[in-house]
Every structure is written in C-alpha cells, then in structure tokens.
Amino acid sequence: PGFFFRQAHDLWPRWLLVARDEAGAVTGYVLGAPAAEAGCACLLSAATAPEARGRGVGARLLHRLLEGMASEDIRDVRLTVHPD
C-alpha cells in the first residue's frame, strides 16, 4: 500500500531505492531497514515490473542497497520472507 512506502521513505530514505525507465515509469524497488542489533539490517521488500525482469534491474537495486548499507557499517543483512 502507498502509506507503507510513504512511511518507509520517512523512516529509511536511503534504503528505499526506486528504478525508473526512460519514460519515468517505475520498473522496480528495493527496501531495507535497520535491525535491532548493531551492524545488522533487513531486506524487507523488493520487486521488479514484469517488463523489467531479466534486465538486471533487481540486481542493480540490490547491489546499490547493499553498498549503501556497507557504507553505514552494516555487515549482516537478513532477508524477510512471507511464511507461505
């Protein structure tokens, strides 16, 4: 939902990355957040638009997020997944 992304942006603006195509349409995003433990963060959500899949959009987003986290001394990144 939109309110979730607004809140995530307010809380962790450096860890919400959005990819856009030449026309400005969103082609993917990745969202991370700090964990309770020092030096640890969580990858909360990531997605790419169907037309962007297989083009490296998700890989570039994830790489940039991990670089940003490393620059803030994050050394442990956990992935959150839906139980199903």
Side-chain angles (χ1 to χ4, degrees):
F3 72 87
F4 173 76
F5 288 101
R6 179 70 236 180
Q7 185 177 33
H9 180 265
D10 290 345
L11 292 170
W12 316 294
R14 294 181 311 275
W15 292 358
L16 174 58
L17 306 178
V18 177
R20 296 179 182 273
D21 65 15
E22 302 80 29
V26 173
T27 57
Y29 76 91
V30 65
L31 173 62
E37 302 90 26
C40 183
C42 296
L43 174 57
L44 297 179
S45 185
T48 56
E51 62 274 8
R53 293 183 186 145
R55 297 182 181 183
V57 172
R60 286 190 299 274
L61 284 167
L62 182 57
H63 182 73
R64 287 189 182 166
L65 177 67
L66 294 175
E67 281 183 333
M69 288 177 167
S71 74
E72 296 185 36
D73 293 324
I74 300 298
R75 300 289 175 239
D76 181 27
V77 179
R78 299 176 182 162
L79 176 63
T80 60
V81 297
H82 191 279
D84 292 337

